[in-house]
């Protein structure tokens, strides 16, 4: 059963052709890792999937629903797609619990008590239940990113998109975030992750996608990508970052 | 009994001027804050809507026109067109529109200074534009808006003295009347300066306290 179906997506920023006909697919429960040089279009592609960026042509389906600019449909779609940002983007004026319950209360109209219960469960999943009453600024980067993941989980999404979730973190904090992501993947969450964490990709990814100059030049399971990359660009890139 | 050269009647007259200044400022600035909030929010809309363009036109126009001119046009201008307008109504309207434009700009700048990441995180949860403003952006923006907004308010309180040009007997005009009776310009103007200070200084303190608390 397809969860994500990206069909021939093109995107320009002014003159710049950033996505040149990308097609890729993820089955329900799969974890995909998007990687490639900076400027290759991987973050842009991820942001197109929940329409943080518009696309010029092509189609994107999430669980058979077309991603469209129609605002009411888009809100519904976004409520079903988690998005974890490089810089966490927690709400600084709300407590950790407030951060995790806001979407439930405002979007899903979940009653206060129930929202609290769901949020505490999500925080427990990321190992931060005891921080519920703290504020984002009191947490380390790694903890903040785990809260951001809990904020996504609490909405019970069909899929979570991760945009370089560990690249703003100090090296010693990366592990705890990847650990949480690995757990999620093992529990069957569909995930698409932009990341250069090759250890994570090797252990967790079902599929890897290598983007180069706005094109998907190579895809396959990590075993193939790491052992015998088909293209020169991919081979060189992997050598450079390993 | 005299206070220097000022009689009780003079002091009462200045007191009445003070009350009229306060009445003008409280009403005019109060309405102006409401106008400013509405037009500022409309102008901050990232989409090019008709309401955004109207808000932009309003803000830019009234920021470019001297307050004194608004008083004159608002009162004499309207009367010259044959309409009956109360002096108080005219000066309150002028102050409201003027304050609204400046506060509108403060509100817009405050909203726009909240990072794009906050919008993206909110809409990614499925929140609407209005909900995002209400629950995420405005609570953060208000903090940024307070110091410049209080600066605007203080400026308008002092600017309200220009209402004297249409004969509204606020503090400064009351003072001039008293000077004509007493020939004590320094004493009277000094007293008036003190009164403005007593009105405006607490606003600065309020600004600092709110900034710290929020």
């Amino acid at each position: 059963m397809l969860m994500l179906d990206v069909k021939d997506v093109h995107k320009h920023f002014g003159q710049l052709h950033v996505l040149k006909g990308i097609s890729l697919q993820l089955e329900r429960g799969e974890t995909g890792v998007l990687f490639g040089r900076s400027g290759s279009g991987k973050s842009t592609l991820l942001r197109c999937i929940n329409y943080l960026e518009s696309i010029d042509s092509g189609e994107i389906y999430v669980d058979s629903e077309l991603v469209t600019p129609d605002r009411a449909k888009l809100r519904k779609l976004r409520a079903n797609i988690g998005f974890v940002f490089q810089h966490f983007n927690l709400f600084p004026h709300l407590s950790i619990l407030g951060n995790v319950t806001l979407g439930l209360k405002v979007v899903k109209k979940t009653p206060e008590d129930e929202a609290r219960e769901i949020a505490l469960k999500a925080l427990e999943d990321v190992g931060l239940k005891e921080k519920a009453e703290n504020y984002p600024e009191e947490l380390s980067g790694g903890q903040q990113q785990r809260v951001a993941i809990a904020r996504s989980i609490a909405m019970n999404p069909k899929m979570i998109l991760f945009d370089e979730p560990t690249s703003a973190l100090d090296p010693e904090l990366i592990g705890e975030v990847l650990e949480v992501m690995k757990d999620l993947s093992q529990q069957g969450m569909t995930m698409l992750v932009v990341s250069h964490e090759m250890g994570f990709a090797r252990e967790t990814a079902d599929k890897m996608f290598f983007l180069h100059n706005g094109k998907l030049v190579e895809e396959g399971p990590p075993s193939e990508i790491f052992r015998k990359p088909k293209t020169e660009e991919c081979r060189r890139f992997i050598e450079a970052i390993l | 009994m005299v206070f220097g050269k000022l009689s009780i009647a003079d002091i009462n007259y200045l007191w009445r001027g003070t009350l009229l200044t306060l009445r003008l400022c409280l009403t005019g600035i109060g309405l102006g804050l409401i106008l400013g909030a509405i037009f500022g929010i409309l102008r901050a809309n990232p989409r090019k809507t008709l309401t955004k363009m109207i808000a932009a036109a309003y803000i830019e126009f009234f920021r470019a026109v001297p307050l004194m001119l608004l008083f004159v046009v608002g009162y004499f201008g309207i009367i010259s067109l044959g309409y009956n307008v109360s002096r108080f109504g005219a000066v309150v309207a002028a102050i409201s529109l003027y304050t609204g434009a400046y506060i509108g700009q403060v509100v817009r700048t405050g909203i726009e200074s909240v990072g794009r990441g906050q919008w993206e995180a909110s809409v990614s949860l499925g929140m609407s534009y209005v909900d995002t403003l209400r629950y995420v952006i405005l609570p953060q923006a208000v903090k940024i808006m307070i110091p410049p907004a209080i600066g605007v308010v203080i400026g308008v309180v002092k600017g309200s003295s220009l209402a004297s040009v249409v004969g509204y007997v606020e503090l400064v005009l009351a003072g001039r009347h008293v000077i004509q009776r007493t020939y004590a310009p320094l004493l009277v103007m000094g007293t008036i300066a003190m009164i403005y200070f007593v009105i405006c200084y607490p606003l600065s303190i309020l600004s600092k306290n709110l900034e710290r608390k929020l």
Side-chain angles (χ1 to χ4, degrees), chain A residues 90-105:
Chain A
L90 294 181
F91 307 128
H93 61 299
L94 298 177
S95 68
I96 297 308
L97 191 67
N99 268 272
V100 183
T101 53
L102 187 66
L104 290 168
K105 289 195 284 192

Side-chain angles (χ1 to χ4, degrees), chain A residues 129-184:
Chain A
K129 197 178 174 186
E130 74 282 2
K131 298 285 186 191
E133 305 302 329
N134 288 75
Y135 279 79
E137 60 177 15
E138 299 166 332
L139 270 54
S140 72
Q143 290 173 329
Q144 289 191 43
Q145 192 61 298
R146 282 149 66 197
V147 172
I149 294 172
R151 181 169 66 178
S152 284
I153 300 175
M155 297 293 282
N156 191 23
K158 292 177 175 172
M159 173 169 73
I160 303 182
L161 308 172
F162 294 82
D163 189 5
E164 308 206 29
T166 57
S167 54
L169 297 175
D170 291 337
E172 77 273 20
L173 303 175
I174 291 175
E176 61 188 68
V177 173
L178 294 179
E179 207 53 45
V180 166
M181 290 168 60
K182 218 163 89 185
D183 284 351
L184 259 181

Side-chain angles (χ1 to χ4, degrees), chain B residues 71-197:
Chain B
F71 286 134
V72 173
V73 172
Y75 186 56
F76 296 131
I78 303 279
I79 284 180
S80 75
L81 291 175
Y83 295 100
N84 203 356
V85 59
S86 84
R87 199 173 261 135
F88 180 69
V91 290
V92 162
I95 286 215
S96 308
L97 290 168
Y98 182 82
T99 310
Y102 277 89
I103 293 292
Q105 189 67 359
V106 168
V107 168
R108 173 218 178 175
T109 315
I111 289 173
E112 288 177 349
S113 67
V114 177
R116 200 180 56 156
Q118 294 291 307
W119 285 100
E120 291 186 346
S122 308
V123 300
S124 292
L125 288 169
M127 286 168 67
S128 66
Y129 177 75
V130 172
D131 282 338
T132 301
L133 261 183
R134 177 171 163 198
Y135 295 105
V136 177
I137 305 301
L138 286 176
Q140 297 180 61
V142 162
K143 215 177 176 158
I144 301 162
M145 293 172 195
I146 282 175
I150 289 188
V152 168
V153 169
I154 290 173
V156 172
V157 168
K158 292 184 291 180
S160 71
S161 61
L162 296 166
S164 56
V165 296
V166 296
Y168 183 80
V169 191
E170 46 65 61
L171 194 45
V172 167
L173 187 53
R176 280 167 50 196
H177 292 163
V178 171
I179 290 169
Q180 284 162 12
R181 287 203 294 264
T182 58
Y183 303 107
L186 272 183
L187 177 62
V188 173
M189 285 300 156
T191 308
I192 287 173
M194 288 282 291
I195 295 172
Y196 274 109
F197 181 78

